[in-house]
Amino acid sequence: MVLVNLIGAALIGLIIWWFWLYKPRETSINDDNLIVTVENGSYFPAHIKLPKNQAAVITFLRKDPSPCAEVVMIPKLDINETLPLDKPISIEIPGLKAGEYAFHCQMQMYRGVLNVG
Amino acid sequence: MVQAGSQVPESEHDDHSAQSDGEQQELFVEDASCASCVTKIETALGSVPGVQRAEMNLAQRTVLVAGSASAIKLIDAVENIGYHARSMENTSDNDVLAEREKADQVYYQRLIRNTVVALGLGIPLMVYGLFIGEMTVSTTTERIAWLVVGLLTLAVMVFSGKHFYVGGWKSVRTHTANMDTLIALGTGTAWTYSMVVVFFPGLLPEMARHVYFEATTMIIGLINLGLALEVKARGRTSEAIRRLIGLQTKTARVVRDNKEIDVAIEDVTPGDVVRIRPGDKIPVDGVIVEGHTAMDESMLTGEPMPVEKEVGDSVATGTLNKTGSFLFKTTRVGKDTALAQIISMVKHAQNSKPPIGRLADVISAYFVPLIMIISVTSGLLWLNFGPAPTIAFAVVSATTVLIIACPCALGLATPMSVMVGVGKAAEAGVLIRNGEVLQTASSITVMVLDKTGTITLGAPKVTEIVLAAADNEDEILGLAASLESGSEHPLALAILESAEERGINTSVVEHFNAIAGHGIEGVVEDKHLYFGNEKLMRDKGIEIDAFTDRAQNLASEAKTPMYLAADGKLAGIVAVADPIKEDSIAAIKRLKNLGLRVIMLTGDNRATAAAVAEKVGVSEFFAEVLPQDKTNHIAALQMENEVVGMTGDGINDAPALAMANVGFAIGTGTDVAIESADVTLMRGSLHGLADAIAVSKATLTNVKQNLLGAFIYNAAGVPVAAGVLYPFFGILLSPVIAGAAMAFSSLTVVMNANRLRFFKAQEH
């Protein structure tokens, strides 16, 4: 029973580390343009590195038919855009100050972050 | 900022000689990643018959193709060499909508198919477990039988639930977690445990040798069903935007080379002359150059009465021609039309969130991992402290916690209501900038109304002329009209119009000077004139005492008396009246019934203001307010902790509109500048204002209901699923019940938001 409890505690630790503490690898934007695919409940890539004060274009390509995937929002930039299925939609990101800018669907189930710095 | 398809800057392709090669198309090749791909793709496209040139921009992953080949052939050519291509041709809102509906229908059918397959196995299993036999493994025969069922369940999981498992796994890999993660973990745990029972029954006590294949299949079936119903219900939330998009026509009858020909709307350019016949919808914005008619603009402005139009008047896309046949010259096309801007603004506002949803957003962001932790904790508590068979209870509670939690309901609560509410407002000719404005508008306590053009028509007429030193009325009117000839002030226009009607010619004005808030001065026919209010006369030392009573009487009849002085003597008084809009009284009553304190602001004199205020039933007003002082009144009200709405014409009142918590720009028809305020009222009636407040209040109430329901559902459902009721009442939820509750909780949110569709804002 002690072993089971230890495994349970380790599992809780793993959840906390994996979802909240771990800093995932970020994808840098090359040539000021990046394609983010919306598929299977997620954005790929979901963690994007952007240099500060540099404008960029992120093209979202939605392949996920779920209505949840239909809108992408970047609340700090007051951007929200409807993503038609299978149609690339480009969003211009202005030059930004250093910081994290979350992007997500309306329900926050699909989530990603622009890490500017 | 954001565009589909045409995002590639023109300059990127400016150098392309392809531009001179006839028709062009643009493709997006999603998986082209290296320089060698460019050559392969360009070569493949170059070999398609009809293609003259293909040039790829690797950074943008776009290919510009010149020639006559169809998009389908081009896409085939790219896909034949192993890449995935999509056309980037600009599509109209109508096409996007049609594609969306088609995609939703395909998705709906897939979900229904998944449901049928999953419930096709789940229901018989559940019936067996409830009424026929035990879902336990005791004998070898039972092991074989349950092994077959386990494999069938696996097949259902792959067929009907694959998207949950793939989605769950992919989101975990990106260190995010979503609803799929919970469903995949919940159903996966139930199936895995059951298969352990089948393969290794000896590892478990006899009481714990229970299989949960029915739970796995039922949960997958019910959640697919919930999603399918949600897709249908969500479609209805965008009814308003669909209606607006439906106002766009596909063709226009353009006059070219003296012939009238039907051309595709994309080919109409500014400057084209378009023929409109009775019953036609206006295809693009323009100005009438021949003929006259009555237009039905209700679809944009909410104004039910037809609007008379003649040469020089503008017509707006989507409005309906009622009677005459006329020609108009195109001024704005495509994304520049008023309708396109309205659609764009409504779409943006529908997707934005009011602050009330922020707490739900914060919770949503941490929700799924938190539920996973609660699930593990619940399992451990049952293992440590639960009754026998502890492992079975632990598995059931851990699974049920995962399945019952519904982050979707929380996440959907706000956006679904905002989507319907903003759309509903647009139907009434009320354009709300975003969700935050919607929320603030719902909590306005004081509504400040500008008088001229808001409560009144803003089209004053000269009603009386009182003689003082002047010999006749025409002399006074002539001098006043000459002085006002350069002004566009509504009162000036009234005087000029009256002079024109009487056939009075105006003279040249020199040394013109506007004295803000008081009047004007200038020299006409060598006479030094002052024209304005009582204060101006007193400031300039003009003797008016013999006429102040007369002026008071005029003012008490809601007429504005304006004194004219020539060379230091009062020449006479011109009285101008601005008629009150016929529905202002009823609309102001509605505002009061909505619990608002209504205040009128005007630059007019106190007596006129008092007369107008009394007529429309406003007890508080501020008269003789200079334009620059309007903001001070707004600020003073805000200092009293009032949430202030300000309604004005959007141009003269811009500072006050900006200062107010919510600025309402009241327009007259489709000419209104829709970018100028927090809320734009497309029609001149104050009923639009009452509609805006009413719909904001109704939407916020709906959001609160949704949020409360979602919070209570999760706050109560998760502990019950974990088994908190078991020690007291012996109640432990079945995972199947949890699956049904979860599937229908988000559906309930969408359905509640849909109730707003039946909200009637106009209660005159």
Side-chain angles (χ1 to χ4, degrees):
Chain A
M1 204 54 223
V2 174
L3 183 66
V4 171
N5 284 330
L6 283 175
I7 291 171
L11 205 54
I12 290 171
L14 181 67
I15 293 167
I16 293 170
W17 175 74
W18 186 259
F19 291 107
W20 291 332
L21 302 179
Y22 182 82
K23 292 284 173 204
R25 206 173 57 197
E26 292 167 333
T27 305
S28 296
I29 286 195
N30 296 316
D31 302 319
D32 305 331
N33 191 291
L34 180 79
I35 290 156
V36 174
T37 309
V38 190
E39 194 173 18
N40 292 315
S42 301
Y43 297 115
F44 298 98
H47 301 269
I48 299 166
K49 178 94 182 149
L50 262 176
K52 65 179 176 182
N53 300 322
Q54 185 182 313
V57 175
I58 298 180
T59 301
F60 284 84
L61 179 61
R62 174 186 164 210
K63 296 179 180 178
D64 190 329
S66 165
C68 308
E70 196 176 29
V71 175
V72 63
M73 313 174 75
I74 312 178
K76 281 189 183 173
L77 306 182
D78 192 29
I79 288 174
N80 65 57
E81 184 62 19
T82 305
L83 305 177
L85 198 58
D86 277 335
K87 191 100 190 160
I89 295 289
S90 295
I91 295 180
E92 286 175 20
I93 308 293
L96 297 171
K97 285 193 282 187
E100 289 198 340
Y101 299 79
F103 58 95
H104 51 74
C105 70
Q106 283 184 316
M107 305 195 316
Q108 298 232 32
M109 289 293 97
Y110 296 59
R111 280 184 291 122
V113 67
L114 301 176
N115 193 354
V116 179
Chain B
M1 177 184 256
V2 182
Q3 285 180 351
S6 60
Q7 206 55 44
V8 183
E10 281 179 17
S11 58
E12 293 282 344
H13 294 301
D14 278 351
D15 304 335
H16 294 192
S17 49
Q19 292 210 339
S20 59
D21 294 330
E23 284 181 41
Q24 288 181 48
Q25 293 188 57
E26 202 162 23
L27 297 183
F28 177 82
V29 185
E30 69 180 82
D31 33 15
S33 57
C34 56
S36 66
C37 308
V38 174
T39 317
K40 278 166 73 178
I41 291 165
E42 286 180 351
T43 309
L45 287 168
S47 65
V48 176
V51 170
Q52 291 162 347
R53 192 178 299 273
E55 291 188 13
M56 179 154 191
N57 176 331
L58 184 60
Q60 308 265 10
R61 299 192 204 178
T62 54
V63 200
L64 192 70
V65 186
S68 57
S70 69
I72 295 169
K73 283 187 178 162
L74 297 177
I75 290 169
D76 280 350
V78 176
E79 302 216 326
N80 281 342
I81 56 168
Y83 297 95
H84 295 94
R86 287 167 174 78
S87 172
M88 286 190 74
E89 285 301 291
N90 265 335
T91 42
S92 67
D93 286 331
N94 263 318
D95 293 339
V96 170
L97 198 67
E99 277 175 24
R100 181 194 155 177
E101 281 172 2
K102 197 171 142 195
D104 277 357
Q105 185 60 23
V106 170
Y107 186 53
Y108 172 78
Q109 283 167 349
R110 199 176 93 193
L111 290 169
I112 290 293
R113 203 170 53 233
N114 291 344
T115 305
V116 170
V117 170
L119 296 185
L121 180 62
I123 291 174
L125 282 177
M126 204 172 71
V127 170
Y128 175 82
L130 286 174
F131 305 110
I132 301 168
E134 291 291 318
M135 299 194 72
T136 52
V137 174
S138 305
T139 65
T140 306
T141 314
E142 281 175 350
R143 281 181 70 186
I144 294 167
W146 286 121
L147 176 62
V148 172
V149 173
L151 293 175
L152 284 173
T153 303
L154 182 64
V156 167
M157 290 162 78
V158 171
F159 182 84
S160 302
K162 186 181 162 194
H163 52 298
F164 300 133
Y165 302 105
V166 174
W169 171 241
K170 292 210 167 179
S171 71
V172 167
R173 273 181 56 198
T174 57
H175 300 268
T176 58
N178 58 26
M179 190 187 82
D180 291 343
T181 319
L182 295 178
I183 298 165
L185 280 173
T187 54
T189 305
W191 183 82
T192 307
Y193 176 81
S194 304
M195 290 306 273
V196 168
V197 171
V198 170
F199 280 111
F200 312 106
L203 289 178
L204 300 160
E206 199 173 331
M207 285 169 72
R209 290 174 196 165
H210 193 287
V211 290
Y212 296 99
F213 296 124
E214 96 290 6
T216 304
T217 48
M218 285 297 289
I219 290 165
I220 290 173
L222 288 169
I223 292 175
N224 269 300
L225 179 63
L227 284 173
L229 298 175
E230 194 185 313
V231 168
K232 281 282 171 202
R234 269 181 181 240
R236 287 191 285 272
T237 61
S238 48
E239 203 172 64
I241 198 85
R242 193 181 303 128
R243 202 170 294 158
L244 281 174
I245 289 170
L247 296 175
Q248 294 171 328
T249 58
K250 290 189 186 305
T251 59
R253 197 162 182 79
V254 176
V255 182
R256 284 185 184 157
D257 301 326
N258 292 324
K259 284 182 191 159
E260 291 179 8
I261 49 167
D262 286 327
V263 300
I265 203 74
E266 297 80 21
D267 297 329
V268 180
T269 55
D272 275 340
V273 173
V274 178
R275 163 70 66 193
I276 296 293
R277 289 163 296 196
D280 282 353
K281 234 187 268 178
I282 304 297
V284 290
D285 289 358
V287 176
I288 296 179
V289 291
E290 187 187 305
H292 58 89
T293 188
M295 297 295 303
D296 176 1
E297 295 187 335
S298 60
M299 59 292 289
L300 293 188
T301 65
E303 171 60 57
M305 294 300 290
V307 183
E308 295 294 328
K309 300 271 182 179
E310 56 185 28
V311 173
D313 287 340
S314 58
V315 286
T317 308
T319 55
L320 186 69
N321 180 34
K322 300 284 280 184
T323 52
S325 174
F326 64 91
L327 292 171
F328 76 90
K329 194 170 184 179
T330 306
T331 53
R332 290 182 299 188
V333 298
K335 301 278 180 202
D336 296 328
T337 64
L339 176 62
Q341 288 177 50
I342 290 169
I343 290 170
S344 162
M345 188 176 171
V346 171
K347 269 196 213 166
H348 184 271
Q350 282 186 323
N351 289 342
S352 69
K353 279 188 183 178
I356 192 173
R358 279 188 196 141
L359 177 61
D361 280 354
V362 172
I363 294 172
S364 295
Y366 297 97
F367 191 85
V368 176
L370 189 66
I371 291 299
M372 290 159 72
I373 291 169
I374 293 173
S375 168
V376 174
T377 310
S378 161
L380 287 178
L381 287 172
W382 278 100
L383 280 173
N384 283 284
F385 307 110
T390 53
I391 188 159
F393 278 116
V395 167
V396 168
S397 74
T399 304
T400 314
V401 166
L402 290 170
I403 296 299
I404 203 166
C406 188
C408 299
L410 272 179
L412 279 173
T414 311
M416 284 299 106
S417 305
V418 171
M419 172 94 90
V420 184
V422 167
K424 201 73 204 167
E427 280 179 10
V430 177
L431 304 181
I432 295 171
R433 179 166 301 284
N434 56 39
E436 190 168 345
V437 168
L438 186 84
Q439 181 173 340
T440 315
S442 74
S443 55
I444 286 174
T445 53
V446 175
M447 180 60 74
V448 179
L449 303 174
D450 180 45
K451 180 181 79 75
T452 307
T454 303
I455 294 175
T456 64
L457 282 174
K461 301 252 180 249
V462 173
T463 56
E464 275 177 77
I465 295 169
V466 179
L467 299 179
D471 296 330
N472 58 61
E473 290 186 358
D474 285 3
E475 183 189 342
I476 292 177
L477 203 55
L479 290 172
S482 302
L483 198 54
E484 294 276 24
S485 55
S487 173
E488 289 185 355
H489 190 277
L491 296 181
L493 294 177
I495 288 164
L496 287 166
E497 211 173 84
S498 180
E500 197 181 322
E501 279 168 13
R502 295 190 185 204
I504 301 169
N505 292 323
T506 54
S507 307
V508 177
V509 59
E510 291 173 295
H511 308 297
F512 179 86
N513 180 33
I515 305 159
H518 297 107
I520 51 176
E521 67 173 318
V523 176
V524 175
E525 297 167 4
D526 294 329
K527 290 176 183 157
H528 193 124
L529 306 177
Y530 288 105
F531 188 47
N533 60 17
E534 184 180 330
K535 190 164 189 311
L536 176 68
M537 297 297 122
R538 298 216 184 273
D539 285 351
K540 300 299 173 190
I542 314 285
E543 178 53 51
I544 56 168
D545 287 348
F547 289 89
T548 47
D549 284 350
R550 183 80 181 98
Q552 288 286 337
N553 286 340
L554 289 167
S556 64
E557 294 163 14
K559 294 169 184 167
T560 305
M562 294 192 292
Y563 295 87
L564 178 75
D567 292 333
K569 283 186 179 172
L570 183 68
I573 298 172
V574 180
V576 174
D578 184 6
I580 292 168
K581 290 175 189 170
E582 60 182 27
D583 52 10
S584 286
I585 296 169
I588 287 170
K589 195 173 168 193
R590 278 183 69 199
L591 289 172
K592 286 178 168 176
N593 288 342
L594 286 164
L596 269 60
R597 180 180 155 199
V598 180
I599 298 176
M600 186 181 85
L601 278 190
T602 178
D604 225 331
N605 68 71
R606 192 177 161 74
T608 309
V612 172
E614 193 188 340
K615 271 191 181 175
V616 297
V618 173
S619 54
E620 285 182 78
F621 65 90
F622 295 99
E624 295 168 22
V625 179
L626 300 176
Q628 62 268 32
D629 289 341
K630 285 185 180 174
T631 50
N632 297 339
H633 285 278
I634 303 282
L637 287 163
Q638 286 169 331
M639 290 289 283
E640 294 170 22
N641 289 324
E642 301 280 14
V643 182
V644 184
M646 166 76 201
T647 309
D649 61 16
I651 303 160
N652 298 333
D653 301 315
L657 292 180
M659 163 76 77
N661 297 81
V662 181
F664 296 81
I666 194 157
T668 45
T670 48
D671 292 339
V672 63
I674 63 169
E675 294 294 330
S676 63
D678 297 324
V679 179
T680 304
L681 308 173
M682 298 287 289
R683 64 187 147 139
S685 165
L686 278 180
H687 276 302
L689 186 59
D691 289 347
I693 302 290
V695 84
S696 302
K697 282 181 183 287
T699 306
L700 257 290
T701 304
N702 198 272
V703 169
K704 285 175 191 168
Q705 289 165 350
N706 277 348
L707 283 174
L708 192 69
F711 275 121
I712 289 175
Y713 169 81
N714 282 298
V718 173
V720 170
V724 292
L725 296 182
Y726 190 84
F728 310 104
F729 307 105
I731 295 171
L732 185 62
L733 276 188
S734 144
V736 177
I737 302 290
M742 188 273 193
F744 292 98
S745 60
S746 47
L747 181 66
T748 310
V749 165
V750 180
M751 284 167 61
N752 187 46
N754 262 321
R755 284 194 316 115
L756 269 178
R757 290 190 302 128
F758 306 107
F759 170 76
K760 294 257 184 273
Q762 193 99 6
E763 291 163 8
H764 295 176

